[in-house]
Amino acid sequence: MTRQIFIRLLRNRISLSCLIILALLYLCAIFAPFLSPYPPSTQNLKKAFHPPTAVVFKDWKLQVKVYENIDPSAAQYQAIEGETIPIKFFTGGKLFGLDTEDDQARIYLLGSDSTGRDVFTRLLHGARVSLTIGLVGISITMTLGFVVGALSGYLGGKFDSVMMRYVDFLLAIPTLYLLLALRAAIAPYFPSDKMFYVIIIALAFITWSSSARVIRGMTLSIRQRQFVLAAENMGQGKFAILFKHILPNVSSYLLVAATLSIPNYILGEAALSFLGLGIQEPEASWGLMLSQAKSMKVFMLNFWWLLTPGFLIFITVIAFNILGDVLRDIVDPKMKTTS
Amino acid sequence: MRTDFIREFCKWGSKVEKMVCHSRKIPFISASFEIVAFSYKTYSQVSVTLLIAGLVAFLTGCGPKTRNLDHIVEMPRTPEPYIVELPYPGRSSDMYIKSIAGDISTLNKVVAEDTYSMLIIDLFSRALVWIDKDTSEVVPGLAKSWEVSEDNKTYTFHLRRGVYWSDGHPFDADDVIFSFDCYFDERYPNRNQVYMAVNNQPYEITKIDDYTVQVTTAVVYAPTLLTLVEGYILPEHILREDFENGDLFDSWSLSTLKNEPEKLVALGPYVLESYKPGERITLVRNPNFYMEDQAGTPLPYVERVIVTIYRDMQAAAAIFAQGETDTALDRILPADVPWVEKNADKFDFTIYNWGPTANLTFLWFNQHEGVNEDGKPFVEPHKQKWFRDKRFRQAISYAINREGIINAVIFGRGQPLYSFVPSRFTNWHNPEIRKYPYDPEKSMQLLQDAGFVLGGDNILRDSEGNEVTFSLMTNQENEMRTEMCTVIKENLADLGIDLELRFIDFSTLITKTGDSFDYDAAIMGLGNGHPDPSSLKDVFKSEGRLHLWYPQQETPSTEWEARIDELTDELNLHLDFETRKTISDEIQLIMAEEQPVLMLLSPNYYAGFKSKWKNIKMPMYGEPDWNLYELWADE
């Protein structure tokens, strides 16, 4: 069945393009150290808020223009006429770099930030955090959601009512406040460079409840089906039934729910980091990078390249949402009966 | 033209409100109302604005009542005014709009602790003496002159005759005595009990006659006059009853301003008129204020001051950049200047660059030797050994790229700082002190001298083999400081030191540095203070609460701290400048050599005013519009 779904995903033009975009983003994240020209925390204090360096084709080589700081008091740069530095490929374990002895020269494909760090590099490294938080997060949520939901639905009785009241309790608290409270409660036990785990724990803790609720409902209806009753009569154990009969029947829901909730993780991380409570400097994440852009000067002095993490968050979230929508269409039971 | 219009418009608005507000009081109409009132751009939009404003007023209910200003009684001018020589003697102006970046909490000097409350209190209160902030000299206030006795302990103040409170009640020595009774009363603990005391003995205040009072200190105390500036005179005829009943802490609160503004009588240039929490405070001119310009025109020139309240400094700067306030908060942050400046021609304002501020930004290590409740030392013993080693602190100081930070983070708009007494205070600054320009090699040399070894794995270890790693914290709201931290992390990484950054909120930072002491190093700042180094007494003395690196010691833990204690005490025992300057120079020398506190940088002081305002004077420290009573608009 999984294969069938996959083939249909590939046939749909929209979902195919989403898959390609996401695959590209994840590949970039995986190969970030290779693709990026610099380590993510390398600064150049003489090149703060440097605009993207223009790349030109000259002498049969790709070259970048050299800029001079014409007004340091407002971070204004201007390209020096005719002066360029060639780009060298596959150098020093990197995909590309500058072919020069000058260690102050930089290639900034997407400009630099307030301490002269390369935004392109930080985007790639930030992607590692922002994109994996979703994947790690949903695997925790879906496991928890399935175990709690299916057990509640299947066992019923006291376990069911206790767990469901707890779920109600979690659902009743506004998400952002719960997130902030959880973050405040867990953070002191982690050093600041392990903030990644704090965010995953906090986000997973608040998102599992709704899927548990749905899975419980599905389990309630599935356990009345004849094949479950038959298995019970033939003496199959409770957990065997859960995993062999119930899990396959809720797996399509899990798949759709998982795809649709990845964006929540990405946005949750962005929100926390934006508020200064998530990933901490000098690590990189899209939300953290975006929080640098909230300062007035970014808008007023037109440092647009600092907004690129926002654009990437947007693209990723849209891609996951569309993919989830298409998936839901595919696994929808009605469609399955007609085909 | 513009301000006229706004005034007319406000009157009109309040008329509309009166018409429609008989039924019910809803407190927050004016949020929307005010935005409309102050945000019109061109005359073509005016009619639309009027229409919307009317609608808003009509739909949402009642706004503030127009204040009855009958309690302001104009009395004959004092025959002994304080006459200021102004470069541009002026004429009456209508309105001055300024902003603050946070709400006020009280109007009572005995209670006030926060900056913004103090700022408003400054506008309607006066003390015996006053400070001219452009020269930072102490000048006569409500006292027209004073003499110092031969033993330098007694100050005799002659009060101005014929000065009246804004309600027409005469001011005399009884008010002065009453005020100090309030400040020194044990029922009302307040800051002045600490400031106006030597060796825990409060000043003695005696009334000689109705217009003469004497202030006596237990021992010779140089900053006496300076501290008296904080001693705002309180009205005996209004507050006596509350004082006797033990309710002084509750009087002159924000609700007094809302419900009984007539009780808030003033001796200062302005009288409070109205207050909308979180939105604005308005003040009107006090006709009985004791100052005049050289032409005999009574000050202040401006009839009405509107203080709008914003959430943060950036919002206030943005509003100024849109031409909606007359001045930009207390100052414009250097990183904001490039974009605020862009609108200067369009909205006709000027940005003044007044050189490096007196604001100090610094880093220090926790050298506390104490233990916490569980008997564990505040700082791990091996780290403490580094932090208490002068060479380690100097090495870190050399390793920090101050110039680079200034270039990148504040667009080159500032200067590196090496002393507690910044170069802005030319009188007191000691240029001979040791400086710490960026020099990683020297830094490494110092570390090696202190027994640290840089391993082949590029990790620095101390002589016992511990990896050198510590945490540095600062408050997360301050962008300049967090960015500075990331640079310092890179700088120290070059030396093989792993720095862990912790950005926490300001109150946690204060608790950690002043109470629980569970931190390694921190970056913080100290605001504008008077140039006189005795204002830093609390930082210098080892028993002081602000002795950042190891506060409130019972006995000084090092020889040099003992020496600084001695010098700080000595500083207060002399009145003549030369002697005091020599002492202050030595304090600065020791502090720079020992580096208990690594001074980092002072950003430039940028002030913004609408170009029409005259008599703007650069202050040594404090607010750009500190002389609001001298400003007038040339329109």
Side-chain angles (χ1 to χ4, degrees):
Chain A
M1 194 188 78
T2 332
R3 213 184 125 174
Q4 228 179 349
I5 292 175
F6 193 67
I7 291 170
R8 292 184 57 180
L9 267 184
L10 292 183
R11 281 207 195 127
N12 183 321
R13 217 179 281 166
I14 302 176
S15 60
L16 179 65
S17 44
C18 287
L19 271 178
I20 293 174
I21 291 175
L22 289 174
L24 272 177
L25 283 171
Y26 276 93
L27 278 177
C28 285
I30 293 168
F31 295 108
F34 172 68
L35 295 174
S36 55
Y38 306 104
S41 58
T42 301
Q43 305 175 334
N44 185 337
L45 297 176
K46 294 209 170 74
K47 293 195 158 110
F49 297 113
H50 197 289
T53 44
V55 178
V56 289
F57 193 67
K58 204 169 92 174
D59 304 335
W60 301 100
K61 270 184 201 155
L62 281 177
Q63 312 225 16
V64 291
K65 286 191 179 167
V66 180
Y67 291 72
E68 66 175 337
N69 196 341
I70 49 168
D71 181 8
S73 68
Q76 296 298 313
Y77 296 84
Q78 203 173 41
I80 304 171
E81 266 314 303
E83 210 173 305
T84 53
I85 302 175
I87 299 176
K88 204 163 61 175
F89 288 93
F90 299 105
T91 157
K94 303 273 180 194
L95 176 65
F96 62 94
L98 287 181
D99 188 10
T100 170
E101 296 290 302
D102 181 7
D103 62 349
Q104 293 296 312
R106 291 281 192 278
I107 171 165
Y108 290 131
L109 288 183
L110 283 172
S112 77
D113 69 2
S114 61
T115 46
R117 295 180 296 198
D118 181 22
V119 172
F120 178 70
T121 301
R122 288 179 66 76
L123 276 179
L124 292 178
H125 284 267
R128 302 184 121 191
V129 171
S130 296
L131 294 178
T132 46
I133 264 183
L135 290 187
V136 180
I138 51 153
S139 31
I140 300 176
T141 323
M142 290 302 144
T143 319
L144 254 180
F146 172 73
V147 170
V148 171
L151 278 178
S152 300
Y154 190 70
L155 299 177
K158 259 188 195 153
F159 182 81
D160 182 30
S161 48
V162 169
M163 286 324 282
M164 285 306 118
R165 291 306 75 74
Y166 184 59
V167 165
D168 285 341
F169 169 73
L170 283 183
L171 287 173
I173 305 172
T175 326
L176 188 62
Y177 292 100
L178 186 58
L179 193 56
L180 294 181
L182 271 175
R183 190 269 177 197
I186 321 172
Y189 302 103
F190 287 82
S192 66
D193 53 341
K194 300 281 183 302
M195 211 41 102
F196 182 71
Y197 303 105
V198 175
I199 297 170
I200 288 187
I201 294 172
L203 282 167
F205 184 77
I206 54 175
T207 35
W208 66 270
S209 49
S210 54
S211 54
R213 163 65 44 93
V214 177
I215 286 170
R216 170 185 173 266
M218 294 175 80
T219 314
L220 275 180
S221 84
I222 293 167
R223 68 174 293 198
Q224 302 299 330
R225 300 268 197 89
Q226 281 179 342
F227 59 88
V228 179
L229 295 176
E232 267 176 356
N233 280 341
M234 288 161 83
Q236 200 166 25
K238 280 178 182 168
F239 285 93
I241 292 176
L242 270 186
F243 285 98
K244 282 200 171 148
H245 298 295
I246 295 178
L247 179 61
N249 278 288
V250 296
S251 63
S252 54
Y253 164 77
L254 282 178
L255 188 65
V256 173
T259 319
L260 286 174
S261 63
I262 290 178
N264 291 338
Y265 280 90
I266 297 175
L267 291 174
E269 181 273 321
L272 276 181
S273 301
F274 187 80
L275 295 173
L277 302 171
I279 304 295
Q280 300 282 312
E281 289 275 3
E283 311 286 310
S285 90
W286 292 348
L288 178 67
M289 293 174 73
L290 203 54
S291 77
Q292 257 205 359
K294 77 179 172 213
S295 125
M296 278 310 247
K297 60 178 178 258
V298 171
F299 291 93
M300 298 300 205
L301 298 176
N302 198 14
F303 297 146
W304 57 267
W305 53 92
L306 291 178
L307 297 174
T308 44
F311 179 72
L312 283 182
I313 292 175
F314 175 77
I315 293 283
T316 318
V317 168
I318 290 271
F320 271 115
N321 274 331
I322 292 178
L323 200 63
D325 272 353
V326 176
L327 261 180
R328 189 170 48 201
D329 288 347
I330 293 171
V331 300
D332 192 282
K334 263 184 206 161
M335 285 181 70
K336 214 186 270 175
T337 47
T338 52
S339 67
Chain B
M1 233 4 252
R2 212 184 116 96
T3 47
D4 278 355
F5 174 77
I6 291 178
R7 204 166 52 151
E8 283 303 309
F9 179 58
C10 290
K11 274 189 202 157
W12 181 83
S14 61
K15 266 185 217 152
V16 175
E17 283 159 31
K18 264 190 213 156
M19 288 190 308
V20 293
C21 74
H22 292 299
S23 52
R24 206 150 60 97
K25 277 196 176 173
I26 301 173
F28 39 74
I29 161 225
S30 51
S32 45
F33 180 67
E34 218 169 68
I35 293 166
V36 178
F38 290 109
S39 66
Y40 75 97
K41 294 280 165 2
T42 59
Y43 283 95
S44 66
Q45 288 175 352
V46 167
S47 54
V48 181
T49 318
L50 285 175
L51 193 73
I52 296 172
L55 265 176
V56 169
F58 189 80
L59 289 176
T60 48
C62 298
K65 279 182 256 168
T66 347
R67 289 290 167 204
N68 189 351
L69 294 174
D70 288 348
H71 60 273
I72 301 181
V73 181
E74 184 163 358
M75 299 301 284
R77 295 292 304 170
T78 161
E80 299 174 330
Y82 182 77
I83 297 170
V84 281
E85 286 289 328
L86 291 176
Y88 305 99
R91 55 173 187 270
S92 174
S93 304
D94 288 327
M95 192 188 289
Y96 178 84
I97 306 171
K98 66 178 281 168
S99 52
I100 51 181
D103 211 340
I104 56 171
S105 61
T106 180
L107 297 160
N108 188 340
K109 171 63 191 166
V110 186
V111 185
E113 290 276 348
D114 60 300
T115 337
Y116 294 121
S117 303
M118 293 297 293
L119 196 139
I120 301 298
I121 293 173
D122 265 7
L123 285 175
F124 73 92
S125 311
R126 275 301 183 269
L128 289 176
V129 286
W130 198 243
I131 295 181
D132 237 343
K133 287 193 178 159
D134 57 344
T135 56
S136 73
E137 298 277 311
V138 176
V139 295
L142 288 165
K144 64 182 176 202
S145 62
W146 62 86
E147 291 121 32
V148 189
S149 66
E150 273 189 16
D151 62 358
N152 285 342
K153 287 189 208 163
T154 304
Y155 296 72
T156 310
F157 291 95
H158 304 285
L159 306 187
R160 258 171 238 291
R161 285 159 199 272
V163 172
Y164 294 91
W165 291 87
S166 59
D167 63 350
H169 198 277
F171 154 81
D172 59 25
D174 289 333
D175 285 319
V176 180
I177 303 297
F178 171 72
S179 309
F180 286 96
D181 284 349
C182 290
Y183 293 133
F184 294 153
D185 195 303
E186 280 173 7
R187 288 174 295 175
Y188 312 116
N190 66 82
R191 304 207 298 184
N192 280 348
Q193 290 180 355
V194 185
Y195 288 155
M196 299 185 190
V198 201
N199 305 338
N200 294 324
Q201 282 174 284
Y203 301 169
E204 229 174 89
I205 319 280
T206 34
K207 174 181 167 180
I208 306 298
D209 61 45
D210 273 355
Y211 291 100
T212 318
V213 284
Q214 266 184 356
V215 175
T216 313
T217 56
V219 290
V220 179
Y221 188 54
T224 306
L225 280 175
L226 267 184
T227 56
L228 286 177
V229 174
E230 291 280 312
Y232 293 126
I233 303 304
L234 303 170
E236 191 186 14
H237 65 287
I238 304 275
L239 293 178
R240 169 61 78 182
E241 200 183 318
D242 287 350
F243 171 71
E244 303 287 350
N245 297 341
D247 297 332
L248 191 65
F249 270 172
D250 301 326
S251 45
W252 277 17
S253 66
L254 295 180
S255 70
T256 317
L257 177 50
K258 278 191 90 170
N259 305 321
E260 314 162 280
E262 67 280 357
K263 272 192 154 184
L264 283 154
V265 297
L267 278 177
Y270 287 94
V271 190
L272 287 153
E273 185 189 16
S274 70
Y275 169 59
K276 294 280 301 173
E279 287 171 27
R280 67 166 173 205
I281 306 150
T282 56
L283 302 103
V284 288
R285 184 176 177 275
N286 176 9
N288 301 336
F289 185 52
Y290 61 80
M291 288 176 96
E292 285 175 10
D293 68 8
Q294 64 260 48
T297 317
L299 296 178
Y301 295 123
V302 179
E303 289 289 336
R304 182 171 262 116
V305 175
I306 296 181
V307 184
T308 42
I309 302 165
Y310 292 100
R311 283 275 161 75
D312 58 66
M313 295 182 84
Q314 277 209 337
I319 294 296
F320 174 73
Q322 293 303 311
E324 290 177 22
T325 51
D326 285 302
T327 184
L329 203 66
D330 48 354
R331 62 201 167 88
I332 308 174
L333 296 177
D336 289 334
V337 174
W339 60 266
V340 173
E341 224 166 31
K342 281 185 163 180
N343 283 352
D345 289 335
K346 192 167 163 198
F347 294 109
D348 201 22
F349 57 76
T350 311
I351 294 189
Y352 300 84
N353 178 359
W354 284 337
T357 45
N359 282 17
L360 310 169
T361 305
F362 44 75
L363 181 157
W364 77 93
F365 299 102
N366 185 0
Q367 298 192 35
H368 208 299
E369 285 180 324
V371 290
N372 62 16
E373 284 157 5
D374 307 335
K376 272 172 61 185
F378 290 127
V379 192
E380 289 165 68
H382 68 277
K383 286 185 183 173
Q384 194 183 64
K385 226 175 112 191
W386 315 330
F387 298 160
R388 292 192 68 88
D389 187 333
K390 165 175 132 181
R391 290 165 298 185
F392 178 80
R393 300 191 299 260
Q394 288 176 337
I396 303 293
S397 199
Y398 277 119
I400 296 173
N401 186 353
R402 294 177 176 81
E403 297 280 353
I405 293 173
I406 293 167
N407 273 334
V409 179
I410 55 175
F411 298 141
R413 296 164 183 268
Q415 264 184 15
L417 185 70
Y418 301 109
S419 170
F420 257 105
V421 181
S423 56
R424 183 178 192 82
F425 300 153
T426 38
N427 281 352
W428 292 101
H429 177 71
N430 182 1
E432 305 295 318
I433 56 163
R434 180 162 178 176
K435 297 186 177 63
Y436 296 85
Y438 181 49
D439 192 344
E441 277 157 31
K442 203 159 183 177
S443 177
M444 203 62 216
Q445 190 58 49
L446 277 162
L447 286 172
Q448 278 164 359
D449 292 350
F452 292 88
V453 187
L454 183 64
D457 48 0
N458 211 20
I459 292 175
L460 191 74
R461 291 185 177 78
D462 66 9
S463 48
E464 286 149 23
N466 297 305
E467 289 182 12
V468 181
T469 162
F470 59 90
S471 69
L472 172 65
M473 61 175 194
T474 193
N475 53 322
Q476 60 197 15
E477 309 85 32
N478 193 318
E479 206 180 312
M480 186 181 88
R481 288 185 200 157
T482 54
E483 285 175 353
M484 214 146 68
C485 284
T486 64
V487 179
I488 295 175
K489 183 181 165 89
E490 288 302 299
N491 289 159
L492 296 192
D494 293 344
L495 297 179
I497 299 175
D498 183 24
L499 189 61
E500 188 201 329
L501 303 181
R502 286 200 183 142
F503 303 138
I504 54 184
D505 56 289
F506 191 66
S507 53
T508 319
L509 185 67
I510 297 296
T511 319
K512 280 183 182 289
T513 54
D515 194 30
S516 60
F517 305 116
D518 50 340
Y519 69 98
D520 291 342
I523 290 188
M524 246 171 55
L526 270 182
N528 277 333
H530 190 272
D532 192 308
S534 51
S535 64
L536 289 169
K537 186 174 84 173
D538 230 18
V539 179
F540 291 152
K541 286 199 74 168
S542 58
E543 67 197 27
R545 284 185 59 84
L546 274 177
H547 193 70
L548 304 150
W549 58 98
Y550 187 176
Q552 290 169 300
Q553 305 174 29
E554 275 161 25
T555 47
S557 67
T558 55
E559 272 175 35
W560 59 269
E561 279 173 289
R563 177 68 185 148
I564 287 188
D565 281 3
E566 216 173 278
L567 287 166
T568 316
D569 287 337
E570 189 76 7
L571 189 66
N572 291 334
L573 287 175
H574 297 275
L575 293 193
D576 70 306
F577 176 75
E578 290 307 321
T579 322
R580 301 189 72 216
K581 164 86 174 145
T582 328
I583 300 168
S584 131
D585 280 355
E586 191 182 338
I587 297 180
Q588 291 177 55
L589 276 177
I590 300 176
M591 291 295 259
E593 173 64 26
E594 296 291 338
Q595 288 287 298
V597 175
L598 282 54
M599 304 311 277
L600 298 172
L601 57 91
S602 53
N604 286 354
Y605 187 155
Y606 290 96
F609 283 97
K610 283 275 176 66
S611 308
K612 65 186 181 189
W613 292 99
K614 297 287 168 205
N615 291 333
I616 290 160
K617 290 180 187 166
M618 178 183 90
M620 292 292 267
Y621 68 101
E623 300 279 301
D625 56 358
W626 64 277
N627 62 340
L628 183 51
Y629 49 88
E630 294 173 355
L631 301 189
W632 62 282
D634 188 11
E635 296 177 277

